[in-house]
Structure formats: structure tokens, C-alpha cells
Amino acid sequence: MQRRRFLAVGSRFAGLGLLTAPLSSLAQMMQMSGMMGGYEQTEVPLLELSLLPARQKLQQPQKLPLQTRANIVTGKLEAAVSEASLASHLRTQVWAYNGQLPGPQIVVNEGDTLAIEFTNSLPQPTTIHWHGLPVPADQDGNPFDPVAPGESREYRFTLPESSAGTYWYHPHAHGLVAKQVSMGLAGTLVVKNKADALADLPEEHWIISDIRLDAQGQIPENTMLDWMNGREGEIVLINGQYQPDIALSGNQRIRIWNACSARYLQLAAKGVKWLLVGSDAGLIEKPQAIENMFLAPGERCEVIALRDAEIESVALMSKYYDRQKMMVRETPQDTLLASLRADINQPTIPENLRQFPARKTPQASQQVAFSEAGMMMHHASGNLQQQMTGMFLINGNVFSMSRTDLTSQQGQTELWTISNASDMDHPFHLHGNPFEIVKRRQADGREIVPAYRAYYDTVNLKAGEQVSLLVRQDLPGKRMFHCHILEHESLGMMGTLDVQEV
Ligand code: C2O
Ligand code: CU
Ligand code: CU
């Protein structure tokens, strides 16, 4: 079956190889079309993993220094080229916010106004996008508002009621997101509600990211397979640390971010169960006991560790998940993320975590379909990214700054139907307000209605799946929707929703 898939994909490119492509990419395509066994994801010699300092105590993320006057919270972020020491004796050139990997964490409360003075010291345009937060369109750091190299701007927005949750920020300049995030630009943001059902629990944060380092400890350029499947750095980090030691006390509210560009996470530890209490955008309706925490790229969750068996030290793994990559034959392999030491002391968790308002009947509907196409030969003269732009489509189109794909009305409840007509998983992400998932239809036609209510801004779709969402955009302006495999987004798997003011 795998083999048929390779053949199908191979023949999709075989035809293209006959056209006039530049020698380098033609050679790559020929190689690809003749290939049956699958490629390695990387082409350069990689860093010896034993050079990474494992088993150090997990540090909590560094916080961004903030000044608070009345309800206005101010801080400064600068995106710049800097150096990190990830492996012994090696200095890695990275792009980072305030020189930190991951970027400094911003913690604010519902009702606060956050004002961030941002400076772009990178050699190319960038923005800061506040992933998941319902901020005004012109403060959202979307591709329509790039900050040129050497320039500064302020991002200012107020965190509305009921926005408490687990968010992050990352660049969103047109075509440059994949590169900038793979170089290290991403940080986290937590919005608190001092009165929420779990406000008294101590917090523990796991920001999971990945990075690729070559034998010299530098971050190499994307390969063709990185663009095709999304780039998975071989080194998976928690809070910037490699395979750290984590002490679990059991009464912690653990917030987990999948800040990887393309890596899917399925977190599990033998002898530990997890009580899922939060999704992307805050607490869910009722706690749910789960064994695996599935997080597509861009997703977040909140959990509490549950005692299952008497355990002392266990491995926190990310279990293999087959997302149907193209051209790659993967050996199903789990990834070790950390060692957990558990001394679990169970808190009492309320049965109801959050009141959700009654669902409104949708007044409009929107359709979004993911699909794949062959490589577009009119881009044949450009670099890899340009050549591959147009391979991943939304509603048959590649992203264009000058086209509005969907239009909706401010304040109106809409039913969105997202379908994945491609051959691999793609995580759908929408800017602006969070959504509720109302129904999922699997590739085999089976329909699943979620057992509890929750707000998300990112949802994964397997090949052939369809997901129905309810969403209301409270603020007018242009909103992006895209695949959150960042290489796909940067290849144009993105559209613009224009929310009209009423
Ligand atoms: Cu996290 Cu439009 O992105
Ligand atoms: Cu976003
Ligand atoms: Cu995708």
C-alpha cells in the first residue's frame, strides 16, 4: 500500500521532470520519480545528538518583563539574529525574540490592554502574530502589515472577557513564516482569569518545539522534503531543553504547546494518565481522562497528571503518528521527550470547569477544502520554495495578497465546513475568534460529535476528513485561515477572510 502511494506520487512528478526545469531541481525530480524506497528527510550531516546536554532539570519559561499602569501592560520585543548555545562548545546562529529560545513568555489577565513595542532587527520583513487571540485585525500581525527590517511598531490590544487560555506568538510575513520559525522565532502568551475553576493550581509549562542542527551546530536550509511534508527538526526540545528531567507533583495545571512547524505530537507516559482540562482557548466544559495527548502543529492543551500505577521515573514519549507524508518511508518510531519523576498528589478537580453560552443557529456558512496539485512549472526558475508554491491549495487556489477568498459579517454565527481532499493530514487554523467543533466526518463516512464543548483555533484533518465548526468573528477586517504546517502556509496554503463591519 505504501508502495502504491510512492508510485502515485512519483508519477505525479515524473511528467514534470520532462519539462524544462533548471538542472538542480530537474535532477531532484528525476531522483524523486525514480525513487521507490522513500527519502531521508535530510541531506546534510546532522549534529551528534550525544553533544546535547540531556537530563537537566526542566526550567520554566523566562517571562517578558512587563510594566503595568492601570490596566495597561507594556513590554518590549525585538526579533534579531543572535546566538544560542544548544550543544556543548557550539554556538548556533538563531533568530530569536529578545535573544531567547523560546521567546519570552507574556502573562496577562483578561481585561488587560497589552502594548508591545516591537523592533525588527532581522535582515527581512516580519510581524508578530498573536496566535489564537481575538485581537483587532490591524494588530494581528498578519501578512498585510509587515514590519520592514530596522523598523518598529506597537502592537496594542485588549484581552476580552472569556479569552483566558494558552496562546503563542510567531512571525507571519508573507512567504517567510516557515524560515523565521525554523530559525527560532516563537514565544508563548498566557491569558489568565483570576476566577477560573483551576486558578489556584500551580502552573507548569511545556513548550515543545523542534530544531535541526547540522554537524557544525548550525540550522540548515529546508530540503525539498521539508517543503513538501513540513520541516521536522530532529531535536525536540521542551522549554528549549533537550530531554530534560521533569518533576511531576500531580497538582500542577500543565499547559502544553505544540510550537513545532510540522511535527505532530502524541504525548504519553507509561503509568501516567492525564486529565484533559483545557484546549487552545481555555478550559473545556468537563475534565476528560485520556492516555495520549494529541497535538497537531500549533495546538495547545491543559492537563493534570493522574496517578495510574506506582511509578518513580518514566519516559515522556511522543508516540509515532502516521500523517501520510509524501515520498518518505518512515520507520514508526516513538520519540523520547523527557524523563518524568512523579510524586503524584491529586487535587480535587471540579466536575464542571466552564459554562458555555447556548449555541446560536448559524446565519451563514463557509466551505474550505484542502487539496494538493503537482508542482507548478512556471515557478521552475526560482528557488525550491518558489518552485513548490502552488502544490498545496485551499479551495483550488494558492494564497494571494490581492484576493479575498471568503467574506463574512461581524458578529454573525457561521457554520464552516472544512474538508481535506488531499492525501495527507493538514491542521486547519483560523485567525480572530476561536471556534467550536460541532462534528467530524471521518474518511470512512463515520460521524463523530464531540462529547464536550471546547474552544479551538487549530484542528487537524486527516486525509478525507471533514470537520464542521461554529464560529463568530467579533471584530472586522482581514483574517487569515491556513494550514499550520508552516511550510505549507509559506507555500501558499492560506486564504483571506474579510469580516465586514456592521
Ligand atoms: Cu499560528 Cu496564522 O498562525
Ligand atoms: Cu494564528
Ligand atoms: Cu498542510
Side-chain angles (χ1 to χ4, degrees):
M1 214 185 86
Q2 277 292 75
R3 191 176 172 89
R4 229 185 50 214
R5 185 176 160 72
F6 287 129
L7 280 169
V9 177
S11 61
R12 197 156 87 195
F13 290 97
L16 295 169
L18 301 171
L19 298 173
T20 50
L23 205 60
S24 60
S25 65
L26 180 63
Q28 276 167 321
M29 276 187 256
M30 303 279 278
Q31 221 184 345
M32 251 168 38
S33 56
M35 185 267 330
M36 294 301 152
Y39 269 128
E40 292 297 318
Q41 187 85 25
T42 56
E43 290 158 4
V44 296
L46 296 178
L47 185 80
E48 194 56 61
L49 291 180
S50 61
L51 292 173
L52 296 164
R55 306 294 314 257
Q56 296 187 345
K57 186 173 173 280
L58 181 74
Q59 305 294 317
Q60 286 304 291
Q62 286 188 302
K63 296 221 164 54
L64 181 69
L66 295 170
Q67 267 80 54
T68 305
R69 210 165 287 144
N71 268 348
I72 306 194
V73 180
T74 54
K76 280 187 183 158
L77 285 175
E78 182 191 16
V81 178
S82 84
E83 274 194 343
S85 75
L86 291 158
S88 24
H89 313 305
L90 287 173
R91 306 289 296 164
T92 301
Q93 197 188 89
V94 297
W95 293 0
Y97 291 115
N98 296 4
Q100 292 169 27
L101 277 192
Q105 185 175 70
I106 300 172
V107 182
V108 281
N109 291 305
E110 284 181 6
D112 286 348
T113 294
L114 180 64
I116 295 289
E117 196 183 312
F118 173 59
T119 304
N120 177 12
S121 303
L122 298 172
Q124 53 181 231
T126 191
T127 73
I128 303 184
H129 166 57
W130 310 97
H131 179 124
L133 285 172
V135 312
D138 60 356
Q139 305 301 310
D140 193 36
N142 70 36
F144 297 102
D145 292 307
V147 181
E151 287 195 348
S152 298
R153 70 157 280 173
E154 184 193 64
Y155 290 102
R156 181 185 281 255
F157 46 84
T158 300
L159 300 146
E161 208 182 295
S162 176
S163 64
T166 309
Y167 304 99
W168 59 306
Y169 61 90
H170 63 73
H172 220 310
H174 180 42
L176 300 172
V177 182
K179 161 86 180 174
Q180 294 182 3
V181 174
S182 75
M183 289 300 290
L185 288 166
T188 54
L189 192 156
V190 174
V191 182
K192 295 202 171 193
N193 169 344
K194 289 180 185 143
D196 86 21
L198 303 177
D200 293 338
L201 292 183
E203 294 205 5
E204 162 95 6
H205 296 172
W206 299 350
I207 302 152
I208 304 178
S209 63
D210 61 12
I211 189 167
R212 177 175 304 151
L213 295 179
D214 67 17
Q216 286 74 47
Q218 301 309 312
I219 301 174
E221 289 290 326
N222 276 354
T223 64
M224 174 181 283
L225 286 173
D226 290 334
W227 286 115
M228 195 176 281
N229 292 315
R231 174 182 176 122
E232 291 182 10
E234 289 70 18
I235 301 166
V236 186
L237 303 170
I238 304 189
N239 301 352
Q241 294 174 261
Y242 182 64
Q243 299 182 348
D245 274 355
I246 300 179
L248 272 186
S249 66
N251 70 341
Q252 298 135 318
R253 176 178 190 169
I254 309 174
R255 297 184 192 256
I256 309 175
W257 284 258
N258 183 349
C260 300
S261 295
R263 180 180 292 274
Y264 281 61
L265 299 172
Q266 208 169 7
L267 308 175
K270 265 209 193 91
V272 184
K273 277 203 181 123
W274 309 92
L275 197 62
L276 180 71
V277 293
S279 57
D280 294 340
L283 295 177
I284 61 176
E285 192 178 19
K286 292 174 172 32
Q288 309 287 319
I290 55 171
E291 300 220 341
N292 293 328
M293 300 175 268
F294 178 84
L295 292 173
E299 280 193 287
R300 293 87 62 209
C301 71
E302 296 182 53
V303 295
I304 289 162
L306 292 182
R307 185 200 300 276
D308 191 18
E310 277 313 315
I311 52 155
E312 263 177 23
S313 178
V314 284
L316 176 69
M317 307 295 291
S318 181
K319 291 173 62 182
Y320 176 74
Y321 174 75
D322 183 6
R323 58 183 180 90
Q324 309 278 325
K325 287 180 193 165
M326 285 183 197
M327 320 295 291
V328 185
R329 176 162 294 166
E330 285 188 308
T331 3
Q333 218 165 32
D334 300 344
T335 308
L336 173 65
L337 297 188
S339 302
L340 298 180
R341 257 186 315 103
D343 179 11
I344 294 184
N345 222 319
Q346 227 59 75
T348 331
I349 303 301
E351 259 174 63
N352 291 300
L353 296 169
R354 181 178 187 169
Q355 278 308 115
F356 282 71
R359 276 186 187 156
K360 294 236 172 75
T361 317
Q363 296 155 279
S365 64
Q366 308 279 4
Q367 318 290 327
V368 173
F370 289 153
S371 65
E372 289 163 11
M375 261 195 258
M376 288 190 161
M377 290 319 288
H378 56 264
H379 295 305
S381 56
N383 60 26
L384 267 183
Q385 182 180 356
Q386 289 162 326
Q387 288 173 44
M388 294 174 78
T389 294
M391 267 194 83
F392 299 100
L393 305 172
I394 296 189
N395 293 351
N397 284 318
V398 56
F399 176 68
S400 161
M401 297 278 282
S402 57
R403 188 187 60 241
T404 294
D405 297 275
L406 301 174
T407 306
S408 70
Q409 300 277 309
Q410 180 185 9
Q412 182 169 278
T413 300
E414 297 187 333
L415 181 70
W416 286 49
T417 308
I418 325 297
S419 356
N420 183 358
S422 81
D423 291 324
M424 72 166 106
D425 286 44
H426 297 281
F428 169 83
H429 170 57
L430 174 65
H431 290 206
N433 280 40
F435 51 75
E436 270 196 76
I437 299 171
V438 290
K439 197 171 65 188
R440 188 182 276 276
R441 201 187 71 207
Q442 298 182 153
D444 63 7
R446 214 169 66 121
E447 293 202 339
I448 298 169
V449 174
Y452 55 93
R453 294 182 66 187
Y455 289 125
Y456 301 88
D457 53 62
T458 307
V459 59
N460 187 55
L461 285 99
K462 292 180 199 275
E465 262 192 333
Q466 193 178 80
V467 170
S468 308
L469 320 168
L470 272 186
V471 65
R472 184 193 70 230
Q473 294 289 354
D474 285 330
L475 299 169
K478 286 181 174 168
R479 299 295 182 180
M480 319 315 293
F481 54 94
H482 57 89
C483 172
H484 218 284
I485 288 178
L486 295 178
E487 290 69 26
H488 293 174
E489 178 275 344
S490 294
L491 291 177
M493 196 177 199
M494 174 158 70
T496 305
L497 165 75
D498 190 5
V499 181
Q500 298 192 323
E501 190 156 10
V502 288

